[in-house]
Amino acid sequence: MQPPSRRTFLALGLLLTGGALTACTDAPHRDPGRPAGDHSRPDPDEPVRRRAVDATDTLLAAYDALLPQAPQLQPLREEVARHRAALDTATPTPTPSSNTGTGTPGATASGAAPGATASTTAPTVPTTAALASLERQTAQARLADLGAASPPLARLLASVSAAGVLHAVALGDAAPAAAAAPAPSASASASASPSASTSASASASVSAGGTAAPFQDALGAEHAAVYGYGVVGARVTDEGQRTAARSALAAHQARRDAWQRLLSGAGATPAPAAAGYQLPFPVTDAASAGRLAAHLENRLTVVYADLVAAVPTAQRPPAADALRESALRARQWGAAPTAFPGIADTPAGTGTPTP
């Protein structure tokens, strides 16, 4: 077999450890039209941020209402507080309060910002099931603002939405996750992945926006995932894991095919799969196969979080859906929890991703 080409390694960024896939994954973001330190002009994202923060305050108040009876929910509450701090970048950083349990900037004991109004009064949430439903509803509502947000904020909203679905699942919600609503300019029949019926309109927006490259990156990542799950399926022994591997393989094949249709419709030549891919570590048994599956899905969350920020607004919903699905599968395969799926995380109390 010929040695893998340079393109093989570049296409399989998600399988290689240690490197950032794109510059926007690790670098802080700000309004590109505003000089650093210039706060004289209004933030165009302010209405979106305020809606997101208000929804987060309601969530935090709900957690606080339930925590006395369910203290085991504190870690989830801390993640939600970190979401608030990331969404509300204008909130001043107070001295950490012992009441919050988080040290998260901008959050009080009830999760509200300093000076918050009565509109964020805590609802009555008597059960974890009610809280799970609220998490899922809030996660879905965040996606409604994808088209109105700047690219960095859209990326953060998609990540926080995925985290909310993970919280709902952790709280016992088994309801299927709804696909993100398409942007007004997208076909009304858009679903979790671009279908054949929506490829034409999607391809037109890709061609007009000159954004084929990000979709080529996503296609390359899906090629790699399909290859990786072939390895996973050959090593797992438990029937439940085999079923999960087959399901994940089918999902990645479908999304690979969707990106190929989209690119072809835009007049671009879809990048082919490489003959082989370098794995991040040896996969010799069921345990290492499970770690590989979790690694694949974690790296795909990065690919799709970046895709949300890189494509026209009409194509943000399918990218956000792909991010959510990979985050769910990563957790299913035992990946460590993260407050910001697809975005470089920071330890609690030391900072938050900045859109």
Side-chain angles (χ1 to χ4, degrees):
M1 179 185 297
Q2 294 182 345
S5 66
R6 180 174 181 270
R7 184 185 60 78
T8 300
F9 288 97
L10 292 177
L12 191 55
L14 83 165
L15 283 180
L16 302 179
T17 57
L21 289 180
T22 64
C24 68
T25 301
D26 298 317
H29 299 278
R30 60 177 176 85
D31 179 359
R34 180 186 303 183
D38 178 13
H39 302 290
S40 60
R41 285 185 286 171
D43 179 2
D45 279 330
E46 182 63 19
V48 177
R49 289 187 188 280
R50 291 267 47 98
R51 286 192 291 272
V53 168
D54 287 346
T56 309
D57 285 341
T58 299
L59 263 181
L60 285 166
Y63 272 98
D64 288 341
L66 190 57
L67 275 174
Q69 292 77 38
Q72 71 275 13
L73 302 182
Q74 182 64 31
L76 296 183
R77 195 262 183 214
E78 291 177 0
E79 287 192 357
V80 176
R82 295 179 65 200
H83 296 162
R84 189 194 192 287
L87 289 163
D88 190 10
T89 57
T91 299
T93 304
T95 301
S97 169
S98 59
N99 292 329
T100 67
T102 64
T104 304
T108 65
S110 65
T117 67
S119 63
T120 58
T121 299
T124 300
V125 183
T127 66
T128 56
L131 181 56
S133 178
L134 182 60
E135 277 277 20
R136 186 177 290 277
Q137 292 170 15
T138 304
Q140 187 65 23
R142 297 193 192 283
L143 300 182
D145 269 331
L146 284 180
S150 66
L153 180 57
R155 176 171 169 265
L156 179 61
L157 286 172
S159 174
V160 171
S161 176
V165 173
L166 292 175
H167 289 178
V169 171
L171 290 165
D173 188 358
S185 60
S187 168
S189 60
S191 60
S193 61
S195 64
S197 62
T198 62
S199 290
S201 61
S203 298
S205 67
V206 170
S207 179
T211 55
F215 286 104
Q216 293 282 22
D217 292 342
L219 174 58
E222 291 294 356
H223 280 317
V226 168
Y227 177 91
Y229 269 104
V231 177
V232 172
R235 293 295 183 182
V236 293
T237 55
D238 176 78
E239 187 56 35
Q241 287 185 322
R242 286 176 178 170
T243 299
R246 285 193 295 268
S247 176
L249 176 61
H252 289 300
Q253 288 172 328
R255 202 169 290 280
R256 173 203 63 191
D257 295 345
W259 298 143
Q260 288 175 328
R261 288 194 302 270
L262 185 147
L263 287 162
S264 295
T269 301
Y277 295 91
Q278 179 179 343
L279 301 178
F281 47 78
V283 179
T284 58
D285 54 18
S288 55
R291 290 196 302 274
L292 175 61
H295 180 80
L296 287 166
E297 300 294 354
N298 269 337
R299 298 304 291 165
L300 279 167
T301 65
V302 177
V303 169
Y304 285 120
D306 289 345
L307 188 63
V308 169
V311 298
T313 56
Q315 292 311 303
R316 288 175 180 175
D321 290 335
L323 166 59
R324 181 199 66 230
E325 291 168 9
S326 282
L328 284 167
R329 280 192 292 265
R331 184 69 63 89
Q332 181 183 14
W333 286 105
T338 175
F340 299 93
I343 300 178
D345 208 350
T346 53
T350 64
T352 55
T354 303

mmCIF file of all heavy atoms in Angstrom, residues 14 108 249 285:
data_model
loop_
_atom_site.group_PDB
_atom_site.id
_atom_site.type_symbol
_atom_site.label_atom_id
_atom_site.label_comp_id
_atom_site.label_asym_id
_atom_site.label_seq_id
_atom_site.Cartn_x
_atom_site.Cartn_y
_atom_site.Cartn_z
ATOM 1 N N LEU A 14 -9.902 15.258 12.356
ATOM 2 C CA LEU A 14 -10.621 14.845 13.551
ATOM 3 C C LEU A 14 -10.028 13.595 14.166
ATOM 4 O O LEU A 14 -10.288 13.312 15.336
ATOM 5 C CB LEU A 14 -12.103 14.590 13.218
ATOM 6 C CG LEU A 14 -12.485 13.237 12.626
ATOM 7 C CD1 LEU A 14 -14.003 13.067 12.725
ATOM 8 C CD2 LEU A 14 -12.081 13.138 11.175
ATOM 9 N N THR A 108 -25.695 35.202 39.803
ATOM 10 C CA THR A 108 -25.965 35.293 41.226
ATOM 11 C C THR A 108 -26.500 33.959 41.705
ATOM 12 O O THR A 108 -26.592 33.007 40.946
ATOM 13 C CB THR A 108 -26.991 36.395 41.491
ATOM 14 O OG1 THR A 108 -28.231 36.028 40.889
ATOM 15 C CG2 THR A 108 -26.529 37.735 40.933
ATOM 16 N N LEU A 249 -22.747 4.432 12.054
ATOM 17 C CA LEU A 249 -22.190 4.307 10.711
ATOM 18 C C LEU A 249 -23.209 4.736 9.662
ATOM 19 O O LEU A 249 -22.889 5.490 8.740
ATOM 20 C CB LEU A 249 -21.752 2.859 10.459
ATOM 21 C CG LEU A 249 -21.241 2.543 9.051
ATOM 22 C CD1 LEU A 249 -20.014 3.380 8.723
ATOM 23 C CD2 LEU A 249 -20.932 1.047 8.913
ATOM 24 N N ASP A 285 -9.292 -3.786 20.995
ATOM 25 C CA ASP A 285 -10.347 -4.498 21.701
ATOM 26 C C ASP A 285 -11.586 -3.620 21.788
ATOM 27 O O ASP A 285 -11.615 -2.497 21.265
ATOM 28 C CB ASP A 285 -9.879 -4.917 23.102
ATOM 29 C CG ASP A 285 -9.345 -3.741 23.921
ATOM 30 O OD1 ASP A 285 -9.641 -2.574 23.568
ATOM 31 O OD2 ASP A 285 -8.629 -3.975 24.914
#
